[in-house]
């Protein structure tokens, strides 16, 4: 799935512009590492791609169609955004993982059973975390992985991850990065904000936001 | 009971200014800096209530439905003005939907109380409609302020949670359902609490007024029961409509939050 920016300009009201006339095309299955100084607009770029912010000028295209012409719920089912700070609702891990299936727009989807949920938790090295575990008892790193699993349950075609490994130990971070590479190999477009100077395995593109400019290579 | 009203004359009113002087002395003694507010408040109390007294006398004498409805609209408009002062949010235009839903819901409850429950004929009889509607508007004004304040502050403080739901495919109503419930609860709780406390902790103003003017306490309490119950209904109806309409304005057509952190 192609995700593209065409001459996008954005700034928050009353603050300096973060992006000016930015353009790029992310091809099917691209694994894009997004870097830049703090406050340069990396997270904002992800928010623009899932329409949590609207560009002041320019267009964002999904497979050549402007994203503002799509129903927002359909866009966000297709382009999943995993926030930097994991956000869970009070309750069990199961309630959190199945939350998307309670929304009208996802009504046609069959929620996975407990066995499938337990398999997903194990695949992300969430040892000791079961569907019955309380969300309030999870560490930040565990919560981050539960949020990622929750987003992937909707089988999105693009995943936007905002520093997903920032709160993880090395082994858990490796699992998340391996998953990102696997998604990319399967044709899912992955955009990941990272402060790390190392390139994770499988990265196909680099983008850098700095001083209102967006470089893409 | 024989109705007998002791009239309060001008000198008695002047004597009451002694109470204000007492409050003023407290302010001076403790350096509270409330002297100016006390003075303005006292002058406004005299001016506003005397004007209202003359207006009510005029409306009661003229007895036309249009004048009664005009007065009701003015009361709602004044309430909106006060709500605007209490709710600090300026990022979302909330006054027009608030005015519309207050006008509609309070007119409905006022009509139900005067025309159906009390059985006044005609339903807009000013002696019944204006005081009852006034109590509805006055009490619900506080409730609506609380509810809007709660709605805006929770949408800001729980932004990450709302956006998480939006990103998982929720529409604005689904993404803010918990926050809406909290806002409506904030509006309804004071009137429900007053149902518990009435007669034990407080004797409500309307009942007290009726008793002072010579009405049998058993009649006064029946009116008060009607008033208490109508206030619960009007608060619930008003808060539900206002928060429902204002919530729509807190989201863009792209289902993202329109409320921003101050720059």
């Amino acid at each position: 799935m192609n995700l593209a920016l065409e001459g996008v300009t954005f700034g928050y009201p009353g603050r300096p512009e973060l992006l000016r006339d930015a353009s790029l095309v992310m091809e099917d299955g691209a694994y894009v590492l997004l870097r830049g100084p703090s406050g340069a607009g990396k997270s904002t770029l992800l928010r623009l791609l899932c329409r949590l912010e609207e560009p002041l000028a320019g267009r964002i295209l999904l497979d050549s169609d402007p994203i503002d012409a799509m129903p927002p719920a359909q866009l966000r089912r297709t382009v999943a955004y995993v926030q930097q700070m994991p956000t869970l609702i009070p309750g069990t891990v199961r309630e959190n993982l199945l939350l998307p299936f309670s929304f009208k727009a996802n009504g046609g989807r069959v929620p996975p059973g407990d066995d499938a949920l337990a398999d997903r938790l194990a695949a992300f090295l969430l040892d000791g975390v079961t569907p019955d575990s309380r969300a309030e008892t999870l560490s930040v790193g565990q919560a981050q992985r539960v949020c990622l699993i929750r987003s992937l349950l909707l089988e999105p075609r693009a995943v936007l991850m905002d520093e997903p490994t920032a709160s993880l130990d090395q082994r858990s971070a490796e699992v998340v990065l391996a998953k990102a590479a696997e998604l990319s190999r399967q044709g899912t477009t992955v955009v990941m904000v990272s402060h790390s100077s190392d390139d994770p395995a499988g990265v196909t593109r680099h983008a850098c936001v700095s001083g209102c400019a967006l470089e893409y290579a | 009971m024989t109705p007998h009203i002791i009239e309060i004359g001008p000198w008695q009113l002047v004597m009451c200014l002694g109470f204000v002087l007492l409050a003023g002395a407290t302010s001076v003694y403790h350096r509270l800096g409330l002297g100016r507010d006390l003075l303005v408040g006292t002058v406004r109390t005299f001016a506003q209530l005397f004007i209202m007294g003359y207006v009510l006398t005029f409306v009661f004498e003229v007895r036309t439905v249009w004048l009664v409805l005009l007065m009701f609209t003015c009361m709602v408009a004044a309430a909106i003005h006060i709500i605007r002062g209490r709710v600090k949010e300026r990022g979302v235009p909330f006054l027009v939907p608030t005015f519309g839903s207050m006008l509609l819901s309070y007119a409905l409850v006022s009509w139900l109380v005067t025309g159906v429950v009390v059985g006044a004929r005609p339903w807009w009889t000013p002696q019944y409609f204006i005081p009852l509607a006034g109590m509805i508007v006055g009490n619900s004004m506080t409730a609506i302020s609380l509810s809007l304040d709660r709605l805006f502050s929770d949408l800001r403080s729980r932004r990450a949670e709302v956006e998480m739901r939006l990103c998982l495919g929720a529409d604005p109503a689904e993404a803010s359902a918990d926050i809406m419930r909290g806002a409506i609860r904030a509006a309804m709780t004071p009137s429900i609490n007053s149902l518990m406390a009435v007669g034990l902790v407080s004797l409500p103003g309307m009942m007290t007024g009726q008793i002072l003017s010579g009405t049998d306490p058993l009649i006064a309490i029946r009116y008060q029961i009607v008033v208490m119950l109508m206030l619960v209904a009007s608060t619930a109806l008003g808060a539900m409509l206002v928060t429902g309409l204002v919530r729509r304005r807190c989201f863009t057509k792209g289902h993202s939050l329109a409320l921003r952190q101050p720059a």
Side-chain angles (χ1 to χ4, degrees), chain B residues 120-173:
Chain B
R121 293 289 177 270
W123 60 266
W124 51 266
T125 304
Q127 284 87 338
Y128 291 94
F129 190 87
I130 290 174
L132 289 168
M135 274 188 282
I136 290 175
V137 176
N139 276 274
S140 303
M141 175 183 74
T142 307
I144 297 290
S145 305
L146 285 172
S147 144
L148 283 173
D149 232 9
R150 181 72 176 267
L151 177 71
F152 291 132
S153 66
D154 277 5
L155 281 174
R156 283 185 189 284
S157 64
R158 294 169 67 183
R159 182 182 191 103
E161 187 185 324
V162 173
E163 291 188 336
M164 174 270 285
R165 290 170 193 265
L166 290 171
C167 289
L168 294 171
D171 60 29

Side-chain angles (χ1 to χ4, degrees), chain B residues 34-194:
Chain B
L34 293 173
R36 186 183 150 78
D37 285 351
L38 261 175
L39 180 67
V40 173
T42 307
V43 172
R44 280 185 65 157
T45 298
F46 270 81
Q48 287 165 195
L49 288 180
F50 266 101
I51 291 170
M52 182 52 83
Y54 286 118
V55 169
L56 284 178
T57 308
F58 175 71
V59 173
F60 289 178
E61 279 174 7
V62 174
R63 276 180 71 91
T64 77
V65 63
W66 300 114
L67 202 55
V68 172
L69 290 180
L70 175 69
M71 200 162 167
F72 173 70
T73 309
C74 289
M75 285 193 286
V76 176
I80 288 291
H81 179 69
I82 293 169
I83 288 173
R84 186 177 187 277
R86 289 184 187 172
V87 180
K88 300 298 173 204
E89 179 61 47
R90 292 293 174 265
V92 173
F94 64 87
L95 293 179
V96 172
T98 305
F99 181 72
S101 38
M102 282 176 76
L103 202 62
L104 188 74
S105 55
Y106 300 161
L108 177 70
V109 177
S110 303
W111 169 76
L112 277 173
V113 172
T114 54
V116 179
V117 179
V118 175
R121 293 289 177 270
W123 60 266
W124 51 266
T125 304
Q127 284 87 338
Y128 291 94
F129 190 87
I130 290 174
L132 289 168
M135 274 188 282
I136 290 175
V137 176
N139 276 274
S140 303
M141 175 183 74
T142 307
I144 297 290
S145 305
L146 285 172
S147 144
L148 283 173
D149 232 9
R150 181 72 176 267
L151 177 71
F152 291 132
S153 66
D154 277 5
L155 281 174
R156 283 185 189 284
S157 64
R158 294 169 67 183
R159 182 182 191 103
E161 187 185 324
V162 173
E163 291 188 336
M164 174 270 285
R165 290 170 193 265
L166 290 171
C167 289
L168 294 171
D171 60 29
E174 290 169 322
S176 58
D178 283 354
I179 289 174
M180 280 289 286
R181 273 192 285 275
I184 296 173
R185 190 179 289 120
M188 291 182 64
T189 304
S191 59
I192 294 173
N193 285 346
S194 66

Side-chain angles (χ1 to χ4, degrees), chain A residues 47 53 76 83 89 104 106, chain B residues 160 163 168 174 255 260:
Chain A
R47 292 172 62 83
E53 306 293 348
R76 289 168 186 154
Q83 295 160 306
I89 57 169
K104 286 196 292 282
N106 301 325
Chain B
E163 291 188 336
L168 294 171
E174 290 169 322
H255 290 187
R260 295 212 170 274

